[in-house]
Amino acid sequence: SSGINAELPLRPGDIKGGKKNGVDFIRNDDGSPSGICFVEFLTSEDVQLALAKDKKYLGNRFCHVLKSSVTERDAALEKQKEALSNITEPIVKLRGLPYKAMESEIREFFPDLEIISFEMVLNDLGNCAGEAFLEFASIHDAKEALKYFKIKYLHRCVDVMKSSKAEWLSEIPQSSKVTKTVDDIDEPIVKLDGLPANVSKNQIVDFFFGLDCKTVQIVRKPKGDCNGEAFIQFGDLETTVRALEKNGEPLEAGSRDASEVEVVASSLCEWRKEPKVKMEAPTSAPSKRKVIDHSSYSSSRHNDSYGSSRHNDSYGNSRNNDSYSHDRRIKIH
């Protein structure tokens, strides 16, 4: 069947081995889907029913259903096996990841395989661009990972294909990689700079989406606004290294106008220091209050400043002269 990359909508009894074991998907040399699969049925009547689906839609895909043979299928599977076994580097590429993909959840798909390096391709907003690269400890582990072919993650089907270090670096240039490693930092603490005055803890936690923030402290001015800095403590050094990769990204992933946030390694000693409040120096001497008696300037519209006669203000409301004059006697210099 040409153009098919999903399970056929047939009853399990129609297919030899059922839908799980009776459908053989063919992959390209790099492990990506070729759009072709072979299906073996139990009876010739079932074959005729399947051929009637030629040029029909499978989901939103138009596909052909053609008659084949065991010989053609076995030859295609053997060729695929040879191509996938010809792996020179233990690197696998994932394609089709959702933008909210998390490294910890992806690692769970390969629980018995040792992953020594992981990196996602990010878009301009800092979200997953749909692809990720994994380096395994051995060629054997990489071959085992390729057997997964497709993994279901959230609402997406993710392709698993072989890759190389050259392809990895071509999509994620070495210059953009973080040079910090676990050996370069001593404590699981980072410092943020360049935060807006009204930043909240939830915004900072969302900024480190996928990482476990143990403690978040925003450094504030006397009036309560953020002075642009914050300290975050993580659970381990590995998570801290991943947090440092956020350096230079905007606080809000969906905002292109937001300023970049600086993320640097810090320490508990720096955290405990008295924070430097970023406030502008006053341009003039402190204000002084001076009371001026305006009683000598009382107009004919009301009595003296201590009189109790009533008059109408500019809005036509009746007011007491004494309270009105009292308000006028306070002036700020």
Side-chain angles (χ1 to χ4, degrees):
S1 302
S2 177
I4 297 179
N5 60 357
E7 295 178 348
L8 291 173
L10 301 173
R11 298 187 303 274
D14 295 329
I15 301 174
K16 183 178 180 179
K19 290 191 295 183
K20 184 175 181 180
N21 300 316
V23 181
D24 295 302
F25 291 96
I26 303 302
R27 292 189 269 179
N28 296 319
D29 291 346
D30 63 352
S32 61
S34 67
I36 299 175
C37 75
F38 291 89
V39 183
E40 183 176 357
F41 294 92
L42 294 174
T43 65
S44 58
E45 289 79 6
D46 292 334
V47 172
Q48 295 303 318
L49 290 174
L51 290 174
K53 294 182 177 293
D54 183 37
K55 299 182 181 179
K56 302 293 184 182
Y57 279 89
L58 180 59
N60 59 353
R61 298 292 299 273
F62 178 84
C63 64
H64 292 282
V65 181
L66 308 174
K67 193 171 183 179
S68 184
S69 64
V70 174
T71 302
E72 183 182 5
R73 180 197 62 186
D74 292 346
L77 291 176
E78 184 63 26
K79 181 181 178 180
Q80 172 182 276
K81 182 179 179 181
E82 292 177 0
L84 295 179
S85 62
N86 186 25
I87 299 178
T88 57
E89 298 180 70
I91 296 177
V92 168
K93 177 181 178 180
L94 304 182
R95 186 177 66 184
L97 293 167
Y99 78 97
K100 288 187 176 181
M102 297 173 59
E103 178 180 346
S104 59
E105 294 179 347
I106 293 175
R107 286 176 176 268
E108 292 177 0
F109 286 108
F110 310 100
D112 300 325
L113 307 179
E114 184 180 355
I115 301 173
I116 62 176
S117 182
F118 176 97
E119 190 162 12
M120 280 191 289
V121 181
L122 304 179
N123 56 25
D124 294 338
L125 302 179
N127 298 321
C128 178
E131 297 181 349
F133 292 88
L134 294 82
E135 182 178 3
F136 291 88
S138 64
I139 297 291
H140 176 268
D141 284 352
K143 290 181 179 180
E144 290 297 316
L146 288 172
K147 291 181 180 180
Y148 284 84
F149 181 52
K150 279 182 177 289
I151 55 178
K152 292 184 178 180
Y153 180 36
L154 297 180
H155 59 284
R156 306 289 294 275
C157 285
V158 181
D159 297 324
V160 183
M161 61 190 75
K162 69 177 183 180
S163 184
S164 64
K165 198 68 174 180
E167 183 183 11
W168 185 333
L169 296 179
S170 68
E171 297 201 27
I172 310 177
Q174 188 68 31
S175 59
S176 67
K177 292 179 180 291
V178 175
T179 57
K180 291 283 187 180
T181 65
V182 175
D183 298 330
D184 298 324
I185 56 178
D186 299 321
E187 300 180 53
I189 297 173
V190 299
K191 177 183 177 182
L192 306 186
D193 200 359
L195 297 171
N198 61 346
V199 67
S200 66
K201 288 187 177 181
N202 288 337
Q203 286 178 298
I204 294 177
V205 172
D206 291 341
F207 177 70
F208 291 109
F209 181 81
L211 305 180
D212 186 14
C213 301
K214 297 294 184 182
T215 307
V216 177
Q217 180 178 339
I218 299 174
V219 182
R220 299 187 182 277
K221 298 178 181 179
K223 291 185 178 181
D225 295 336
C226 175
N227 76 340
E229 299 177 352
F231 291 89
I232 295 88
Q233 182 178 13
F234 297 95
D236 51 58
L237 296 180
E238 288 77 8
T239 305
T240 307
V241 171
R242 290 162 55 193
L244 292 173
E245 298 177 9
K246 304 286 288 183
N247 181 44
E249 295 183 9
L251 180 65
E252 297 286 347
S255 175
R256 294 183 180 271
D257 299 329
S259 58
E260 297 179 350
V261 178
E262 182 182 357
V263 185
V264 296
S266 185
S267 64
L268 190 60
C269 180
E270 182 182 9
W271 189 337
R272 289 176 175 175
K273 286 182 179 179
E274 184 72 19
K276 297 180 180 180
V277 179
K278 298 180 179 179
M279 298 181 64
E280 296 182 359
T283 56
S284 60
S287 61
K288 297 181 180 180
R289 292 187 178 183
K290 182 178 180 180
V291 178
I292 301 177
D293 189 352
H294 289 272
S295 60
S296 59
Y297 300 101
S298 60
S299 66
S300 59
R301 294 177 60 189
H302 54 80
N303 291 339
D304 67 311
S305 58
Y306 300 98
S308 60
S309 65
R310 303 176 68 88
H311 72 286
N312 291 333
D313 61 11
S314 60
Y315 299 97
N317 299 320
S318 177
R319 297 176 57 121
N320 284 329
N321 250 357
D322 50 8
S323 61
Y324 175 73
S325 299
H326 175 73
D327 290 341
R328 294 182 58 213
R329 292 200 299 273
I330 303 299
K331 184 176 181 181
I332 306 298
H333 285 267

